[in-house]
Amino acid sequence: MSDAFYLPDPANPQRFVSTELTRGPWSPDAQHAGPPSALLGHVIERCEPRTGFQVGRVAVEILGPVPLEPLTAKARVVRPGRSVEMIEAALSTDRGPVLRANAWRFKLAEPELALPERFLPTGARPGPEQAAPARFPSTQPVGFHTAIDYRFVTGSFTEPGPAICWIRLKYPIVAGTTPSPLERTLAAADSGNGVSAVLDWSRFLFINTDLTVTLHRQPAGEWVCLDAVTHPQPHGIGLAESALYDEKGPLGRSTQTLFLGTR
């Protein structure tokens, strides 16, 4: 088994070999959307980096199943700015694009703004050491579910409904690198619809077509917490939304639009 989700291609810095750790729950031949979303974060942060700037939002569009194949990753600044700029990124196989993303990168205030205390984020969730370890009930022996730690404060994979779950990567997104806070958050946030599932996995599909993550501060540490809830509708469209935390408190929010169907 590999020790990373992606292996860089020495002959092409834009090409990454997908390993079996990226495998998702819906098909043995398709990736979980968490790793490729994090790979987009990886290339976004390396696109014309600027000191004193930080990514505040990433919106990922999932154009179809992502095969367990080599991916070409490209990013470019499409809207430069002195204080705010937009970066566009895409992942492609030899057959065409599979994921696209837009990211806003913000200039950080220096010195920091003297905000009234009532506007500063407060509150926290019980930490991962107070949560119960869990294993995703997949039939695949190796995949995304074996490459991360899940710890539930409330809810579980066998208990339908809202959940509070801590998630930690066991392996780097790209071999030879340390996952950045943005990479960790994107990889974790795509599990919102999984940890808060309300439909029977054996009867229904609830596949997200997108992932939007907004961060008002950088997460600290290896663990990211999702306080997640899923809203299904009988017409076949659903929404999963998660409040994001680390051990210091709130970070931001994520949303996923869901395609609902029967197996």
Side-chain angles (χ1 to χ4, degrees), residues 4 18 36 39 55 75 109 112 133 136 158 169 184-185 189 205 232 240 251:
S18 306
L39 182 60
V55 174
E112 291 190 348
F136 183 79
T158 58
L169 295 173
R184 294 183 185 279
T185 305
L205 300 171
L251 300 171

Side-chain angles (χ1 to χ4, degrees), residues 13-87:
Q14 293 182 326
R15 192 170 173 86
F16 299 85
V17 177
S18 306
T19 73
E20 58 188 345
L21 295 179
T22 64
R23 181 179 289 115
W26 306 112
S27 166
D29 302 317
Q31 299 187 35
H32 189 287
S37 296
L39 182 60
L40 283 172
H42 179 85
V43 298
I44 285 169
E45 290 186 304
R46 286 160 175 76
C47 177
E48 301 181 28
R50 299 175 67 181
T51 302
F53 278 70
Q54 182 176 302
V55 174
R57 193 215 68 175
V58 179
V60 179
E61 307 294 345
I62 304 168
L63 305 180
V66 183
L68 267 73
E69 297 177 5
L71 299 174
T72 298
K74 296 182 179 180
R76 63 191 183 103
V77 176
V78 293
R79 190 275 196 188
R82 289 185 297 175
S83 301
V84 181
E85 61 185 14
M86 176 175 277
I87 301 169

Side-chain angles (χ1 to χ4, degrees), residues 177-201:
T177 69
T178 299
S180 71
L182 179 64
E183 291 174 44
R184 294 183 185 279
T185 305
L186 288 168
D190 191 70
S191 291
N193 62 324
V195 300
S196 68
V198 293
L199 301 176
D200 186 340
W201 290 81

Side-chain angles (χ1 to χ4, degrees), residues 235-252:
H235 56 246
I237 302 174
L239 169 69
E241 55 182 346
S242 302
L244 305 176
Y245 293 80
D246 64 9
E247 294 183 75
K248 294 183 177 180
L251 300 171

Side-chain angles (χ1 to χ4, degrees), residues 144-191:
F144 183 71
H145 63 287
T146 64
I148 63 173
D149 285 328
Y150 296 100
R151 294 190 184 180
F152 281 89
V153 176
T154 62
S156 73
F157 287 122
T158 58
E159 179 185 338
I164 299 175
C165 183
W166 289 91
I167 293 177
R168 181 179 70 89
L169 295 173
K170 295 180 181 179
Y171 304 94
I173 297 299
V174 177
T177 69
T178 299
S180 71
L182 179 64
E183 291 174 44
R184 294 183 185 279
T185 305
L186 288 168
D190 191 70
S191 291

Side-chain angles (χ1 to χ4, degrees), residues 199-216:
L199 301 176
D200 186 340
W201 290 81
S202 65
R203 294 180 54 205
F204 293 96
L205 300 171
F206 36 97
I207 303 172
N208 58 303
T209 58
D210 52 54
L211 171 67
T212 300
V213 172
T214 301
L215 295 174
H216 51 75

